[in-house]
Amino acid sequence: MREDCFVLIDIRKAIIELDSDEIADLSNFVYEHLGHTSLRKFAILSPNAHLSKTVQFVRNYKHSSKYQVFTTLEPLLNWLKIPQSRKRQIQIKLDHFNQLN
């Protein structure tokens, strides 16, 4: 994997059947294993504020500069330093991947 690689995971349309503790455990797992990769940043688009707040709690507790959760695309693009002019192109790709499932 290239060292300058960013990962964006869109789970806005996912059916999530985890409780807050399970989400926190998963967030801890991601945080702890990011240090073993060459990823620069790992961003998640979350479907709702509840999930986002739970994951954000873990991220804030761990003070991760590599791992953040967003509920909208605009701040995610800012964090990844991707120009807003590419938002439409990225949204089209995300929509395409969502249709594959």
Side-chain angles (χ1 to χ4, degrees), residues 45-56:
L45 274 172
S46 167
N48 60 51
H50 169 70
L51 176 63
S52 181
K53 286 179 184 176
T54 303
V55 177
Q56 285 289 355

Side-chain angles (χ1 to χ4, degrees), residues 95-101:
D95 290 344
H96 172 73
F97 289 130
N98 282 326
Q99 289 177 359
L100 295 176
N101 293 324

Side-chain angles (χ1 to χ4, degrees), residues 5-12 30 34 39-46 55-56 59 64-82 90 94:
C5 185
F6 298 114
V7 171
L8 185 162
I9 297 180
D10 184 357
I11 59 170
R12 292 177 292 181
V30 170
L34 277 176
L39 294 176
R40 277 184 65 198
K41 291 188 176 181
F42 184 89
I44 298 175
L45 274 172
S46 167
V55 177
Q56 285 289 355
R59 186 192 62 78
S64 176
S65 61
K66 285 187 165 187
Y67 173 37
Q68 289 205 29
V69 179
F70 302 88
T71 55
T72 58
L73 192 54
E74 294 84 2
L76 182 146
L77 294 177
N78 284 333
W79 184 66
L80 293 177
K81 296 184 177 21
I82 296 173
I90 292 169
L94 290 173

